[in-house]
Amino acid sequence: MNHKPTPPGEYDCCESACEPCVWDVYYEELRAWNEAEKQRKLAEAAKDEEPSDSPLR
């Protein structure tokens, strides 16, 4: 996932206690996106810390 999820629109939630609610889906997608961003940033930081003479560069 490379784009941040967008919250449901003003009238997307019917407030009928659906299972799952559009907000439940949004918050789960947002959690997954945040975790993916965290992992991506850690990978970038690790890549930046590699010695310049590393064969991986």
Side-chain angles (χ1 to χ4, degrees):
M1 178 179 294
N2 58 3
H3 64 282
K4 186 174 183 178
T6 55
E10 188 174 336
Y11 296 104
D12 288 341
C13 178
C14 65
E15 297 185 20
S16 297
C18 297
E19 191 61 42
C21 176
V22 293
W23 285 102
D24 296 331
V25 173
Y26 165 71
Y27 286 124
E28 179 55 31
E29 289 175 353
L30 185 60
R31 185 206 58 75
W33 180 83
N34 281 323
E35 183 61 29
E37 283 294 295
K38 178 181 171 184
Q39 294 301 319
R40 182 187 62 79
K41 288 176 183 177
L42 287 172
E44 282 181 7
K47 184 178 178 182
D48 290 343
E49 291 176 2
E50 288 179 8
S52 61
D53 61 344
S54 172
L56 297 177
R57 274 198 159 193

